[in-house]
Amino acid sequence: MTNVRFLDYSTPEIGLIEDSDDMGLDNDSNGKEYFVEKAKKTFGISDPDSDDIFQIERISIATVAKNPTSKLFNGIENILQDISEVS
């Protein structure tokens, strides 16, 4: 139990969405549908595949990573610091 760390989100997708400027979480408990819908809009397609969705997630990660106040990336950094201090 002392070696397990968790982020403050139920899924990584939720963390990405919360750090982005676009809060589209209305009825999406795990953040998956958000990225499906964003892929549909971005690529102008009705049925995006996993590669399309992954590309949108990569864009979101790159955008959030540039934000110095990102809760998601600061949370990851804190976990890594905790782990390195324990080792």
Side-chain angles (χ1 to χ4, degrees):
M1 289 300 288
T2 60
N3 295 320
V4 177
R5 308 288 191 280
F6 296 98
L7 292 170
D8 294 333
Y9 310 100
S10 57
T11 67
E13 289 86 355
I14 296 292
L16 283 173
I17 295 166
E18 286 187 7
D19 270 354
S20 74
D21 293 332
D22 184 11
M23 291 295 293
L25 285 175
D26 293 338
N27 291 317
D28 190 1
S29 63
N30 63 15
K32 309 283 186 205
E33 190 60 32
Y34 169 86
F35 287 101
V36 170
E37 291 302 316
K38 193 153 184 160
K40 286 178 182 180
K41 290 177 189 173
T42 301
F43 299 127
I45 54 180
S46 61
D47 190 23
D49 62 22
S50 60
D51 289 332
D52 298 325
I53 297 164
F54 181 63
Q55 292 306 316
I56 296 300
E57 291 171 340
R58 287 184 65 196
I59 292 167
S60 294
I61 290 169
T63 303
V64 169
K66 293 177 185 176
N67 179 357
T69 62
S70 166
K71 281 180 49 183
L72 177 62
F73 278 85
N74 286 330
I76 293 169
E77 183 177 47
N78 291 337
I79 288 171
L80 292 174
Q81 285 177 340
D82 286 348
I83 291 170
S84 70
E85 291 172 5
V86 172
S87 300

